[in-house]
């Protein structure tokens, strides 16, 4: 079905008609109900959503992220106000951008604007099948850039790789319940994913390197202990000689003193 020619600031029509007139997300979920009802209502009633996201398309999303998004997160404050990040995520659910647009968000745009990449990976986690989520998100575990995360209690520091790892392993992020994905091992058994290779190498290689390092360390430490023991023995001999000489000198002085008195 083609997209409507008009755009309404009030998204309640999108919420009411999406399930019957529009296609589902690639993972089979209804985009209008992926976010929880209370969160959706706060978003569509928010001033930012009505003013800034009216008539926004896929290209305008980039400008909105650059101008207004300075943290990731869901809702905050005593009134549970939605963040611009979450409002834009809901807008993407309505726009349903294609894979080519998301690839630009992740790669070219994501290298320049880290919060654009964070928004794209969050949207992918909500709408794509589990094997596509793993394939697309795992490369960004190497992204070590800092992110600010707004929680209900305030701001805290996080990192892009930590944010991606939370999306892959946890069941809730940014005030949103994440749909349950199958374990990676199950997808590997089904041949939907290849076995993931860690940048650090395999566990067996790491254990072998650790054993070799320990053996080399023991050899060096043994030589050091021998040298230390030899130096200590020499010092003891010198101290014994000095003490013996001092004893003899004291004995001679005593003998001389006795002869003088006689």
């Amino acid at each position: 079905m083609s997209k409507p020619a008009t755009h309404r600031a009030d998204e309640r029509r999108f919420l009411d008609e999406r399930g019957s007139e529009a296609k589902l997300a690639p993972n089979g979920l209804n985009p209008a109900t992926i976010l929880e009802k209370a969160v959706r209502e706060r978003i569509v009633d928010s001033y930012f959503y009505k003013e800034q996201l009216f008539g926004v398309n896929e290209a305008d999303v980039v400008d909105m992220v650059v101008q207004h998004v300075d943290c990731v997160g869901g809702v905050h404050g005593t009134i549970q106000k939605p963040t611009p990040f979450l409002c834009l995520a809901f807008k993407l659910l309505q726009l349903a951008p294609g894979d080519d647009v998301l690839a630009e968000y992740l790669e070219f745009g994501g290298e320049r604007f880290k919060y654009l990449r964070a928004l794209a990976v969050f949207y992918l986690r909500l709408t794509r099948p589990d094997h596509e989520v793993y394939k697309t998100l795992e490369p960004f575990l190497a992204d070590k850039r800092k992110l600010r995360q707004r929680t209900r209690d305030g701001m805290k520091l996080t990192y892009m790789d930590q944010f991606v790892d939370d999306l892959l392993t946890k069941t809730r992020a940014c005030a949103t319940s994440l749909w349950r994905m199958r374990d990676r091992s199950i997808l590997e058994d089904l041949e939907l994913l290849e076995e993931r290779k860690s940048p650090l190498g395999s566990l067996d290689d790491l254990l072998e390197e650790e054993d070799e390092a320990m053996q080399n360390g023991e050899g060096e430490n043994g030589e050091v202990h021998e040298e230390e023991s030899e130096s200590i023995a020499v010092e003891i001999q010198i101290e014994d000689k000095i003490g013996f000489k001092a004893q003899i000198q004291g004995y001679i002085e005593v003998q001389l003193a006795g002869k003088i008195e006689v």
Side-chain angles (χ1 to χ4, degrees), residues 5-12 43-44 46-61 63-64 68 87-88 90-92 94-95:
T6 59
H7 184 90
R8 296 183 55 177
D10 187 359
E11 298 301 337
R12 297 187 188 278
I43 291 174
V44 298
S46 66
Y47 178 76
F48 173 80
Y49 190 85
K50 291 181 178 180
E51 181 190 30
Q52 300 295 335
L53 301 185
F54 174 81
V56 170
N57 57 26
E58 290 89 339
D60 297 329
V61 168
D63 295 333
M64 293 295 104
H68 299 286
C87 293
L88 282 164
F90 183 73
K91 190 66 180 180
L92 286 180
Q94 179 194 4
L95 296 173

Side-chain angles (χ1 to χ4, degrees), residues 221-235:
N221 292 336
E223 295 177 357
V224 171
H225 290 324
E226 291 179 0
E227 294 177 356
E228 291 180 352
S229 60
E230 292 178 357
S231 62
I232 293 173
V234 172
E235 292 177 358

Side-chain angles (χ1 to χ4, degrees), residues 155-218:
M155 285 285 191
K156 72 175 185 179
L157 176 66
T158 186
Y159 298 86
M160 181 68 74
D161 58 338
Q162 182 63 48
F163 181 67
V164 173
D165 184 70
D166 290 343
L167 294 177
L168 293 174
T169 58
K170 294 186 178 181
T171 59
R172 189 170 180 84
C174 299
T176 305
S177 296
L178 304 175
W179 66 279
R180 184 176 179 82
M181 298 191 301
R182 290 172 290 182
D183 292 337
R184 200 183 196 287
S185 58
I186 297 176
L187 297 176
E188 292 176 2
D189 294 337
L190 296 175
E191 298 183 353
L192 295 175
L193 287 177
E194 296 181 356
E195 184 179 357
R196 184 170 182 267
K197 296 182 180 179
S198 173
L200 300 176
S202 64
L203 181 60
D204 295 335
D205 295 338
L206 292 175
L207 292 176
E208 290 179 1
E209 293 177 359
E210 185 177 356
D211 293 339
E212 292 178 359
M214 292 180 63
Q215 292 176 358
N216 296 333
E218 289 178 357

